[in-house]
Amino acid sequence: MVATSPRKMSKVNPIASINQAISINPKHDKCMHFIAFPKAMGRPWPLKFKIFLMMQLAAVLLFVVVFQVSAASYGQTVSLNEKNTALEDVFRSIEQQTQFTFLYDKLALKKAQRITVSIKNATLETALKDCLKGQPLTYRIFEKTIVIKRADDDGPNPDPSAIVASVPFQVIGKVADEKGETLPGVTVSVKGTRNGTQTNIDGAFKLTVPDGGAVLVFSYIGYESKEIRVDATRNFNIVLHSGSKSLNEVVVSGYTTQSKQDFTGSAARIGADDIADKPVQSFVQALAGQAAGVNVIQPSGVLNNPPVFRIRGFNSISLSSYPLIIVDGVALFTGNAGTFAANNPLADINPADIESMDILKDASATAIYGSRAANGVVVITTKKGKKGNTKVNYNGWYGLTKAYNLPQILDAADYVMIKNEALVNGGSAPAYHLQTLSNGSTVDTRWYDYAYRTGASQSHDLNISGANDATNYYISLGYTKQQGMMVQNTFDRKVGRVNVEHHLFKGLTVGSNFSFSNSMNRAPSTGSLPGQAAQLTGLAREAMVLPPNLAPYNEDGSYNIVGNSIGYGANTILTGYYNPVVLLDLDKYSSETTALVGNVFGEVTIVKNLKLKTSYSINKSNIENLNFTNPYQGYPGYDSKGSAINATIRNNRTDWTNTLNFTPTIGKSHVNLLAGYEEIYTTADSWGATRTGLTDNYYTTFQGGFTTIVPSGNSQGQNGFRSYFSNLNYDFDKKYLLSASFRRDGFSGLSAGHKYGNFAGGSIGWNMAEEDFFKNSSLSKNISSLKLRGSYGQVGNLNIGDFPALSLYSSGLYGSAATLSFSQAGNPDLKWETSKKLDIGINIGLFNNRISIDADYYNNNIDGMILNAAQPPSKGIPGNVITTNIGSMYNRGIELNIDAHIIDQGKFKWSANLNFSTLKNKVTALASGADIYGTGLDPSNITRVGYSMGSIFVVKTTGVNPANGQRMYVNRNGKTVQYNYAGTPQWTYLDGTAAPAMDAKADGVIIGPSIPTYYGGFNNNFSYGCFDLAINLGFSGGNQLYNGTKTTLMDQRFYNNSTEILKRWTTPGQITDVPRVVYNDNFSSGSSLANTASVEDGTFVKLRNVILGYKLPPSLLPKNKLSSLRVYLQASNLFTITKYTGTDPEVSSNGDSNAAPGVEKNASPQARTFTIGVNVGF
Amino acid sequence: MHRRRRAPLPLELMLDFKKHQIMSIFRKQLYKLALLGALVGVNTACRKDLLNTVPLTNISDLTAFDTPDRILAQVNGLYASAKVGTFLGGRYILYNEIRGDEFIQTKSNTVTGLNTWAQSVNSSTTEVTDTWSNPYTVINKVDVFLAGLDANKAKVSATLYTQYTAEAKFLRALCYYDLVKVFAQPYTKDNGASLGVPLRLHAESTNANNDLARSPVADVYKQILADLNDAEAGLPLTYSTALLNTTRAHRNTAIALKTRVYLTMGDYDQVLSEGSKIVSTTAPYQASTGVNNKLETNITTVFGGSYTGAEAVLFFPFSTNDAPGVTSALSYLYTNSPGNGEYYLNPAGTLSDPVFATGSTDARAALVVVNGPNRWLNKFKSASPYPDYIPVIRYAEVLLNVAEAATRKGDLVTGLNLLNAVRHRSNAAYVFAPADVSTQSALISTILTERKIELLGEGFRVPDLQRLLQPLPSKTGNGSTAPGVAVAASNYIWPISVNETSTNKLCVPNP
């Protein structure tokens, strides 16, 4: 059979590739085995079987092609009259005169010399002998085919050096990805020729190259192309990197896919590998520092706390700035779904299932999402089966996580000393004492030990994928069980995915992508989520401020509690704060999500280049938020004698999209015309109840015995969205590029008559490097690609809620009587807001694209910004806001992204990505010009016309008065005033006369922007032989942070203090920046009345991740069992270089808040993790 | 494909010999056609109301006045918005107490009023911004209601129209009174010449009319009295049930509030004039028209749980399903059990009065409980979710208002009689020392002391100090102290909310 024949000759390249595929398929015997004993395998492998059948068919066909043509009779004559003619041309002439066909190895022919021959009516054999006279060639005739062979075919191998010189020869090789997975269908070509082939299902190829100077080009969609000079090598093992950064990659811009070369918008693509191997809960966490213009901040070390995610800065004030996130066409829910424990809905998507993420930043890219695109769009594509053998992959890791950089606080002795000093300074008697136990030891509790731990986590992902010509499929299962660094903080997720696509028959494709997940988030009351900074049960704060001279347990083992407070110990003052051990033992907070996200679609090719696609998606998540608080201690359990709250949220979204896509090529013009219709309907229902008053303290769940039940957490909303959209991508000769889109969107939440809005965007591009003048210039030597592009367009914002346009009344109770009450002032003029986005960019590829540079200038002008326009409270408008199109701002900056294969020779490889972005945000108009203050008890942010949104805004302190240890402030009149908590009056001028009290707002000053004005990442990938190493650095700066935790740590209530407090003022004349301590003083620290002493530079450089991997050489792998095996070690958050003195310059206690970013207040620090993982391909 | 005989189509005739192939092609195309058809079908059958969603849990302003029931529900809604926990249902009362000297904070918790207790609020402190915005929320609801009711006059009887209008105006008066007390200089300081608060009297529901200057204190009082006079004229004499007589304003309610307002203005004649409408000239003192308001025989009954007795001129009702919000509930704040023990009674305050001494036979001593080293006010004592009714006006206050006014007008007999009415209800055998009641100033002082005892914790402490232009006293607890505030100090009254001054350009802050 063919497969056993060592050499094949071919005339037609495509056949050759299949031919070769079979001939050198080392696993062929396995396939044979399947055929012979399919049932003996114990389970059917239908797809594989089909592929095999296909291969067999191809092989048989080839056999026929080769041997059917054997010449039956040579009785034909040939005349030739050629002068210095290539042998190939002579053969063609013979073919024309006879019924014979030549089959030859091009390699063999290259060795031949040109000939001069003149014969008339000679026999075929004579003619052939004449032609091959003196040539290193011989021939054989099979029926109607003349096969030309090398004369020395069976002889010894030629001298390799001779080959390098100029002789064509054959090379073979295998192509795999960086994980060792073989890649079928990779195009292998000899650079500058049309000579090429594709790899077979095992990633193998065989190709004749003209000489050793030839350059092989390996290219594959989604991977970085690779060029290798042949030299003396005959057997290649090529590794292609799934490239996010190559100019050859594609951009999935929503409803269409474009090659990046033809793409005129601004987008960043993040590949699967950039988010792989990191111990995260959601893919967003892995995006930090990966792309220009994308800023991701993990707000705290609490598991599954939704990250701050901004693309090109803020794009809204009152509405969410979260980007629109689309997975396989389905818009995900974003935000925090957990009432009691953090629960990021984005974690319902398994990061391991993600093939690529396209982050669309400018109007051209986002306009196709029109009204939903103000904050940018993230288009996520999940994995598909690829042609070739069925692939089975397992990825798993085990990791440890620990709190990083906990504040240094006082021990019991120092605590007692400081607090008593504060009491005496305030005119009271000492009240704090060290507690001695009966065994003679002194109580010195390190509360951190009760709040934090080393958490152990593990994650397992198994996926099976494959494809043939008709069908591709991807099935995965994922399980992750993670422990946070905070005790009792866990995250468990089980997720399964089935992606399948089938060509029903020519012109009709159907498919489906479905993910089903269950995530369970459990946590203590962390106090680290937005709005929780002042929560008394917050574990992060409790662990810092609880007196170290108090013990969690009494000596008899019982809890140390008195009423609703930790007990006195040896003190005479009751703190009123809870004993966290009781809370940790008895309280429960959880949020569980069961989510189904998926779609079914069909695509019909109506006529050539015209496709109709329809897709129906559902995104359904049921979230159950549970809370139980015990009756012994804490809130709200203590005063309500036990409290249980159950609340269910049911989110449901359906999306029906129909698109018509016309992609004709007319001459050199390539057109991609898209028209579509989309309908989205979203509902969010929630219901729940609170039960209080345990009938028996035995019960710990909602279903137990309680005396009282009241409804809680009930709401119901729905909104509809309808869109007619179109998009045109046009290029002429791949040089001149044009893209335009227009969209008409309707949203139910807008006012009658204003429900529809029109959004248009367009962009142009010029691939300058494709121009002849450029190719002919010296520039082309180094510059391999050069594209200029610009885009402009309008996008809108949809995050406005369900019914902001309507004036509404709400029902309630007055005792037990029914009430109806004005609850929302609507806006009958509410219409779409429009951001006008301008982007000018350049893409440069240098040295065969070894270095590619993307640079952009962007300017997003947001006008008619939908704002919760602040009303004077005296107007009594419910909530004091009316949703209004008012306000404007801009985000401007530059972005730079450089990808470089710095070293790509031999065993050692180094590629790097540097991305850098700047951001200037400025608010240019607000409702009535009124400032918008940050949220929380003591706001430290302001949004004011002329400044960056959410700028740090506090009162100015000039330090500590050396004369009396009082903190000095500068008031609105420029006068210095000082504060003495125990004084009457408390506020005085420096001469001691009474001064008006400082006012947070009237005396506040803007210190600077709170979000970074520049940020970026520096990502390095090294490999040496089997080793790979990734080092990801992130940096940002130009912003101010408000270290609210510092104010807590310097607070002179009973709080334990930072060791910094030891520098306090004690004697007249002493120069220090820590004021004299006065008991209960919550002002001098800034706990109340935020001041500049806690405002710090937010600039940092952080080593985010280091991953060291080792891939076992194939020779060490058990044959036929494993195709690849890689083990790796990962460490995150290893160090941060910063002047910021808080736990982490990336902490954001207010989460994704637009109005109050850059604030750390009483939240848990970040985690540092170490993991060990394995990637296995079977 | 199901085949049946029919006349051949021209195409079939023409290509009859290829019929088989045609059918085969047609079969293949059928899927496409079906899919196309399905698409078209779906698109035409798409949700018609997709963009016209309506809220299922709210009622549109267009239909809010459609039925008498909805209008009645709106009246109840006005009361309900006045009694929210952050306003008259709890926090307003708390703040008016803890700025004074009767309570000591225990938790050092800024969320539950530490900065108010320590006299260190500023224009953005939550207590300030809430106390500014809550009354205005009610006021605008009143204005919106009055406008809507006028437009829907036909939906209710003329009687009900008059009554509802009067009830709304009563609540507007109550809210302006509570606002102007906190954010403006006392009327008594300069007869209301100081800057008061903006007078919003028209329904607001749009972005217009942001700017409105503060009216003088006198104008605000004038508006309060105008509303109360209208209310007195329009309110019903009585309601059908004791519960309604307690929780909805009737004519005596408006009059009772007027005695308080006039007392605050120092207009003692008017206190007496209004008082005479609802306080009989002789014991047992009671209202002889309308609801028969009078003292309960035992003060503990007032706070005992039924709340609907004759003394409760206006109490705001709460229920398990209509609770004040945990950290705003007076029971949570004032008591240690079942509450959270946030504020205990200052031993150096009124608690030092013999009424509360050990062995006291005064019934009011029973309203104080010992827990741990401290004593706690026990007027509000229902367990979580704290559905205690919260008093707005009770008859004892009216008697003390009139007693003080009478005394100040020289009628010491009436003054003492009314004082005794209040004292003897709790301690029948008690005889005031002659020195405490024999002179006008002594009697005034005794009446003021009786107010402190009787109304302890009900939110009268600071208003009483301020109408009498007295400083706010300092206080000292276990490790925590708060300074006194002089009458001339800038923090004697609260700053105007920064949310107002930043959006209402005509509203000037307090100096």
Side-chain angles (χ1 to χ4, degrees), chain A residues 505 564 605 614 639-640 658 679 708 710 718 722 809-810 814-815 820 871 874-875 884 928 999 1053 1079-1080, chain B residues 28 32 39 46-47 54 58-59 73 108 123 140 206-208 210 247 319-320 322 340 384 386 479-480 500:
Chain A
F505 50 74
N564 196 14
T605 304
T614 182
D639 69 276
S640 59
N658 301 298
E679 232 182 58
T708 306
V710 295
Q718 69 271 3
R722 176 176 289 153
Y809 282 67
S810 295
Y814 178 55
L820 187 62
Q871 306 294 313
S874 67
K875 280 169 72 181
T884 312
S928 317
D999 188 282
R1053 287 175 267 183
Y1079 195 73
N1080 254 343
Chain B
K28 281 187 182 171
K32 291 189 192 177
L39 284 183
C46 59
R47 270 173 215 275
V54 290
N58 291 104
I59 286 169
S108 297
S123 67
N140 191 47
T206 69
N207 280 303
N210 278 3
T247 58
S319 65
T320 300
D322 178 29
N340 200 43
S384 166
Y386 313 109
S480 64
E500 185 72 25

Side-chain angles (χ1 to χ4, degrees), chain A residues 882-1134:
Chain A
I882 296 177
T883 310
T884 312
N885 296 91
I886 196 160
S888 54
M889 80 182 159
Y890 65 72
N891 291 295
R892 291 174 189 163
I894 55 159
E895 290 171 3
L896 184 66
N897 189 81
I898 302 173
D899 287 296
H901 298 281
I902 298 167
I903 299 175
D904 198 358
Q905 293 293 335
K907 276 187 160 181
F908 181 66
K909 295 183 177 65
W910 175 22
S911 65
N913 161 266
L914 173 71
N915 62 77
F916 175 80
S917 314
T918 68
L919 170 68
K920 179 164 175 57
N921 170 274
K922 190 166 163 182
V923 176
T924 48
L926 290 172
S928 317
D931 296 338
I932 297 172
Y933 300 110
T935 50
L937 268 186
D938 282 278
S940 46
N941 302 79
I942 196 169
T943 297
R944 176 176 283 176
V945 173
Y947 295 89
S948 172
M949 190 160 108
S951 289
I952 297 294
F953 176 78
V954 295
V955 299
K956 198 171 175 191
T957 173
T958 50
V960 172
N961 187 344
N964 55 22
Q966 296 179 23
R967 181 170 292 287
M968 299 183 293
Y969 302 81
V970 179
N971 72 11
R972 70 201 87 166
N973 301 318
K975 295 256 176 60
T976 300
V977 298
Q978 56 188 0
Y979 179 80
N980 177 10
Y981 179 83
T984 307
Q986 292 173 320
W987 293 96
T988 54
Y989 293 111
L990 294 185
D991 64 4
T993 58
M998 289 289 285
D999 188 282
K1001 297 298 151 57
D1003 295 305
V1005 287
I1006 290 182
I1007 308 302
S1010 57
I1011 67 164
T1013 57
Y1014 66 86
Y1015 55 92
F1018 183 43
N1019 304 305
N1020 292 278
N1021 289 291
F1022 303 92
S1023 67
Y1024 183 81
C1026 295
F1027 289 92
D1028 59 85
L1029 174 68
I1031 297 175
N1032 300 325
L1033 287 159
F1035 57 89
S1036 83
N1039 60 321
Q1040 301 291 328
L1041 296 176
Y1042 179 69
N1043 187 353
T1045 301
K1046 178 177 168 185
T1047 70
T1048 301
L1049 287 165
M1050 302 297 273
D1051 193 298
Q1052 283 314 311
R1053 287 175 267 183
F1054 67 85
Y1055 295 8
N1056 194 5
N1057 293 127
S1058 156
T1059 48
E1060 286 286 298
I1061 203 75
L1062 298 172
K1063 285 165 36 190
R1064 77 216 173 275
W1065 184 95
T1066 51
T1067 30
Q1070 183 184 348
I1071 307 289
T1072 176
D1073 56 358
V1074 180
R1076 173 172 176 262
V1077 291
V1078 178
Y1079 195 73
N1080 254 343
D1081 177 4
N1082 60 333
F1083 269 69
S1084 300
S1085 66
S1087 246
S1088 283
L1089 195 70
N1091 68 55
T1092 47
S1094 301
V1095 177
E1096 302 178 16
D1097 188 339
T1099 305
F1100 71 88
V1101 177
K1102 184 185 256 190
L1103 180 58
R1104 293 191 192 282
N1105 268 292
V1106 176
I1107 303 171
L1108 176 65
Y1110 175 74
K1111 196 177 75 184
L1112 260 69
S1115 56
L1116 290 181
L1117 293 173
K1119 277 205 176 110
N1120 297 335
K1121 287 190 178 140
L1122 293 182
S1123 66
S1124 65
L1125 175 64
R1126 174 175 171 267
V1127 292
Y1128 65 89
L1129 293 166
Q1130 184 275 157
S1132 70
N1133 206 8
L1134 281 178

Side-chain angles (χ1 to χ4, degrees), chain A residues 423 426 428 504-508 534 536 564-565 568 572-578 602-606 612 614 635 638-641 654 656 658 677 679-681 692 708-711 716 718-722 746-748 755-756 803 806-811 813-823 825-827 869-877 880 882 884 928 930-931 933 937 979 981 983-984 986 996-1002 1053-1055 1079-1080 1082-1083 1088-1089, chain B residues 28-29 31-32 35-36 39 42-43 46-48 50-61 64-65 70 72-74 76-81 83 105-111 114-115 117-120 122-124 126 132-133 136-137 140-141 144 198 200 204-211 243 247-248 314-322 326-327 332 336-340 373 383-386 477-481 483-484 490 495 497-500 502-505:
Chain A
L423 278 165
S428 301
L504 207 53
F505 50 74
K506 196 165 180 291
L508 177 58
L536 290 191
N564 196 14
S565 171
Y568 284 94
T572 57
I573 290 178
L574 202 62
T575 64
Y577 265 36
Y578 313 131
E603 189 175 63
V604 186
T605 304
I606 298 168
L612 175 70
T614 182
Y635 179 85
Y638 173 80
D639 69 276
S640 59
K641 298 191 164 43
T654 57
W656 188 287
N658 301 298
Y677 172 82
E679 232 182 58
I680 302 174
Y681 184 65
T692 51
T708 306
I709 179 165
V710 295
Q716 196 171 24
Q718 69 271 3
N719 63 65
F721 173 81
R722 176 176 289 153
F747 182 62
S748 61
K755 288 191 193 282
Y756 279 97
F803 308 110
L806 304 179
S807 283
L808 299 173
Y809 282 67
S810 295
S811 291
L813 290 173
Y814 178 55
S816 52
T819 67
L820 187 62
S821 205
F822 185 40
S823 58
N827 180 353
Q871 306 294 313
S874 67
K875 280 169 72 181
I877 302 286
N880 296 323
I882 296 177
T884 312
S928 317
D931 296 338
Y933 300 110
L937 268 186
Y979 179 80
Y981 179 83
T984 307
Q986 292 173 320
M998 289 289 285
D999 188 282
K1001 297 298 151 57
R1053 287 175 267 183
F1054 67 85
Y1055 295 8
Y1079 195 73
N1080 254 343
N1082 60 333
F1083 269 69
S1088 283
L1089 195 70
Chain B
K28 281 187 182 171
Q29 298 299 322
Y31 289 95
K32 291 189 192 177
L35 190 58
L36 270 171
L39 284 183
V42 163
N43 281 345
C46 59
R47 270 173 215 275
K48 290 246 161 45
L50 186 72
L51 301 190
N52 295 313
T53 51
V54 290
L56 301 175
T57 54
N58 291 104
I59 286 169
S60 163
D61 62 331
F65 290 87
R70 281 190 187 163
L72 172 62
Q74 285 204 46
N76 282 320
L78 300 178
Y79 288 97
S81 59
K83 64 132 208 180
Q105 68 86 21
T106 67
K107 301 282 181 183
S108 297
N109 188 351
T110 48
V111 174
L114 175 66
N115 288 335
W117 184 84
Q119 313 292 4
S120 50
N122 62 53
S123 67
S124 60
T126 309
W132 177 263
S133 105
Y136 275 118
T137 301
N140 191 47
K141 281 181 181 175
V144 168
R200 298 272 185 184
E204 296 289 356
S205 60
T206 69
N207 280 303
N209 306 327
N210 278 3
D211 298 336
L243 176 67
T247 58
R248 300 269 295 275
L314 180 63
F315 272 34
F316 281 149
F318 286 93
S319 65
T320 300
N321 279 317
D322 178 29
V326 175
T327 57
Y332 176 88
N336 190 301
S337 175
N340 200 43
S384 166
Y386 313 109
N478 186 6
S480 64
T481 58
S490 63
S497 162
V498 70
N499 299 333
E500 185 72 25
S502 65
T503 48
N504 175 354
K505 292 184 184 66

